[in-house]
Amino acid sequence: VQLQASGGGLVQAGGSLRLSCAASGRTFSNYDMGWFRQAPGKEREFVAVNRWSGGVPLYRDSVKGRFAISRDDAKTTVYLQMNSLRPEDTAIYYCAATPRYTGSNYYRPSLYDYWGQGTQVTVSS
């Protein structure tokens, strides 16, 4: 699976951005699709995941109610709508994919087999 992330940019606090991640190469609908982020000097952290098996998307606590992950299997694309952005959301955002995972460790970067190149999100105060 090849992943291509886009949509990052510079935005003021309180603003919005929508990230996209286009996938190619395998059956997209069989993959958990996640978003992670990494700020300078910090470890990569889980943001959100859309499970291949369906169900409610999952989020880290600090983005709940502000971010929304969605997928379009026909377009083999996953999105991350980010609203009410804060300076602490500033990071490089990565999309990631793992096939047919049914466990509970969806928040671990090591679980994911495929990664996009990252897109920079900068939120100014």
Side-chain angles (χ1 to χ4, degrees):
V1 175
Q2 291 81 45
L3 303 175
Q4 180 73 35
S6 61
L10 173 63
V11 64
Q12 289 188 334
S16 298
L17 285 173
R18 188 176 84 153
L19 306 183
S20 299
C21 176
S24 61
R26 293 292 176 94
T27 306
F28 180 77
S29 60
N30 290 343
Y31 286 76
D32 274 15
M33 297 300 300
W35 286 97
F36 290 76
R37 65 187 183 187
Q38 188 165 18
K42 295 188 176 181
E43 293 187 351
R44 192 168 297 189
E45 64 182 21
F46 168 77
V47 176
V49 65
N50 187 295
R51 310 300 299 272
W52 73 276
S53 56
V56 177
L58 302 166
Y59 301 91
R60 71 179 298 105
D61 286 346
S62 63
V63 308
K64 286 180 181 177
R66 300 189 298 122
F67 290 12
I69 187 172
S70 61
R71 67 193 293 159
D72 185 331
D73 286 350
K75 295 183 178 180
T76 63
T77 300
V78 63
Y79 304 97
L80 185 67
Q81 178 67 44
M82 305 186 295
N83 300 325
S84 301
L85 282 161
R86 305 167 180 170
E88 55 263 38
D89 294 318
T90 295
I92 299 174
Y93 283 69
Y94 298 90
C95 58
T98 189
R100 293 184 173 271
Y101 181 66
T102 58
S104 58
N105 292 330
Y106 54 86
Y107 57 91
R108 295 184 186 276
S110 58
L111 172 70
Y112 293 79
D113 299 312
Y114 306 98
W115 290 84
Q117 84 287 6
T119 184
Q120 177 71 49
V121 172
T122 303
V123 184
S124 63
S125 57

